Amino acid sequence: MRITDIREKAVSLADPMSNAGISYLQMTASAVAIDIDAGEKGTITGYGFSSVGRYAQSGLIEERFAPRLRVVEDMTGADGGLDPVRGWAAMMANEKPGGDGDRAGAVGVLDMSLWDAAAKIEGVPLWRLLSERYNEDKAHDRVPVYATGGHYYPDGDLTALTDEIKGYLDQGYETIKIKCGQHGLDDDCARIEAVLALLDNNGARLAVDVNCMCSTSDETQAMADAYAPYGLAWIEEPGHPHDFELLTGLTAYYDGAIATGENLFSMSETYNLMRYGGLRADKDLIQVDPALSYGVVEYANIVRLAEAGDWPRSQMVPHAGHLLAFHTVAGLQLGAHEIAARPDFLLGGLQAGVEISGGAATLPETPGIGFETHEQLWAVLADL
Ligand code: MG
């Protein structure tokens, strides 16, 4: 088996939404297709689509990583199937350790395409292939999910926020995450209280993402004091992703759960977070995103690393809500899958045929990742 073609294009994710850190008006993502000569099975095309929030990686893909993949002579693994590990090793040749950054997302979206192709060649959904190769054939029966929304909009107000969240509850979600941190703690508390009123005032059903708004321990403590009475499911990304001193101070001060890791991109960065971040394996959540962190090959090692450090898989909750993360959570039996719940967002929802009820999703049976059955994503991937 060998790669016969790789195609990439940048796709606009432009949207009026914003969080405490960034606007999405200029946001882009990479869409990728990789053709595999699969012998008797003909040409199989695997697709990938970047995670959200870190822009397209067209230059890195076209100049550096796709050329390394194109010259791999044989992608066949020991079991006779397509082995994405071979592609991963070729892409990472002559790459120094560290400095993961955008490179990890470029490799990640190519790795995603290889896994899509590998599962299609086997004729199984990706979650099943991942459970076979990395989890002793075990998988979730139903995938725990939560809905992410509640961004800021130019004309947004509390009524618009609660209308949006009502829509998610109607779709079958039980736990919701909203954005805070853009307009100060009084505004945050008003947003939290408005949404809690829809959730039986049960803070365990509401998470709050502040997108790195805090820079000092005075700020993290003021935030913790303001949020603590609500008993939130978790507070997400309190400060800069590399500020472990700030994070350690917060976890010593605040009893509730903290979630972080979406802006760390490798096993070594995850190791540092676990070793030096002051996180508590019985309550805090690690949100490293496989699509931004060199793909499934690296992420499977991150899960092994976590378990070696006594972090249960229940505490691994990948960022972003893309379909790769859904299959990874299902096949590796991780804690939960985040879903970008706004149906009109390009990356929104899951593939057709997956049903959500009681805060969990059914497993898809479409071979591969299932981009072909996700209406919005297929609309941009089909012409690749
Ligand atoms: Mg986040």
Side-chain angles (χ1 to χ4, degrees):
M1 265 183 264
R2 53 182 289 274
I3 293 166
T4 55
D5 197 19
I6 302 173
R7 301 174 293 282
E8 186 272 352
K9 69 174 179 180
V11 175
S12 172
L13 294 181
D15 193 279
M17 69 180 178
S18 64
N19 61 42
I22 61 166
S23 152
Y24 282 77
L25 287 174
Q26 310 293 330
M27 187 55 61
T28 58
S30 281
V32 169
I34 298 184
D35 291 339
I36 307 286
D37 175 358
E40 292 175 0
K41 293 181 179 171
T43 297
I44 303 287
T45 302
Y47 294 95
F49 196 89
S50 300
S51 184
V52 66
R54 303 215 64 112
Y55 302 94
Q57 302 301 336
S58 309
L60 283 167
I61 289 170
E62 197 47 49
E63 293 168 14
R64 193 148 110 222
F65 294 109
R68 292 179 189 167
L69 277 180
R70 289 190 181 102
V71 298
V72 177
E73 292 191 353
D74 188 1
M75 292 286 295
T76 313
D79 65 356
L82 180 75
D83 186 3
V85 176
R86 287 178 173 252
W88 195 91
M91 287 192 282
M92 293 304 289
N94 300 316
E95 293 291 320
K96 284 181 169 181
D100 304 296
D102 284 357
R103 156 182 103 177
V107 172
V109 71
L110 292 164
D111 173 271
M112 186 189 301
S113 309
L114 292 174
W115 281 103
D116 183 41
K120 286 172 176 165
I121 289 167
E122 300 299 312
V124 298
L126 180 59
W127 62 263
R128 183 166 289 141
L129 185 65
L130 296 180
S131 81
E132 290 168 6
R133 293 199 183 174
Y134 293 113
N135 196 26
E136 300 172 340
D137 292 337
K138 295 176 293 183
H140 277 311
D141 295 325
R142 284 165 56 82
V143 183
V145 297
Y146 73 90
T148 287
H151 289 76
Y152 294 91
Y153 295 90
D155 54 354
D157 58 17
L158 288 180
T159 302
L161 173 65
T162 52
D163 285 349
E164 179 189 345
I165 303 308
K166 282 177 196 166
Y168 302 155
L169 297 173
D170 290 344
Q171 289 180 50
Y173 298 104
E174 297 204 336
T175 303
I176 306 288
K177 184 169 81 187
I178 63 168
K179 301 295 186 180
C180 277
Q182 200 175 74
H183 300 303
L185 292 172
D186 288 345
D187 183 70
D188 288 355
C189 291
R191 292 168 66 82
I192 290 169
E193 288 169 19
V195 175
L196 279 177
L198 304 174
L199 302 174
D200 304 320
N201 284 303
N202 180 358
R205 294 177 59 193
L206 179 63
V208 167
D209 187 352
V210 300
N211 293 96
C212 313
M213 76 166 177
C214 300
S215 301
T216 68
S217 57
D218 284 349
E219 290 172 355
T220 54
Q221 291 187 7
M223 175 189 69
D225 290 343
Y227 294 178
Y230 303 119
L232 297 171
W234 68 83
I235 299 172
E236 183 165 319
E237 276 215 296
H240 190 283
H242 292 156
D243 193 340
F244 296 149
E245 185 175 6
L246 187 72
L247 186 59
T248 300
L250 177 59
T251 56
Y253 182 80
Y254 175 69
D255 278 341
I258 300 293
T260 190
E262 70 178 71
N263 290 306
L264 301 178
F265 301 138
S266 64
M267 186 166 66
S268 59
E269 289 194 338
T270 309
Y271 174 82
N272 278 338
L273 175 66
M274 291 173 172
R275 178 72 178 79
Y276 302 110
L279 296 181
R280 303 149 297 185
D282 63 336
K283 67 174 77 170
D284 296 323
L285 301 171
I286 302 228
Q287 298 178 300
V288 175
D289 179 339
L292 294 175
S293 308
Y294 299 109
V296 167
V297 175
E298 178 91 348
Y299 193 79
N301 286 329
I302 289 172
V303 172
R304 289 193 190 106
L305 171 81
E307 289 192 312
D310 293 328
W311 277 84
R313 292 184 182 209
S314 59
Q315 306 312 105
M316 307 295 283
V317 179
H319 158 260
H322 45 70
L323 299 183
L324 178 79
F326 182 57
H327 286 272
T328 306
V329 171
L332 301 186
Q333 294 179 297
L334 307 181
H337 176 61
E338 172 174 15
I339 297 181
R342 222 183 75 201
D344 63 318
F345 185 53
L346 184 54
L347 286 155
L350 291 168
Q351 53 266 71
V354 173
E355 291 175 9
I356 294 166
S357 61
T362 57
L363 293 169
E365 289 297 336
T366 314
I369 291 176
F371 288 115
E372 294 86 347
T373 55
H374 187 287
E375 188 177 349
Q376 306 99 283
L377 282 171
W378 189 239
V380 298
L381 285 166
D383 70 342
L384 273 182

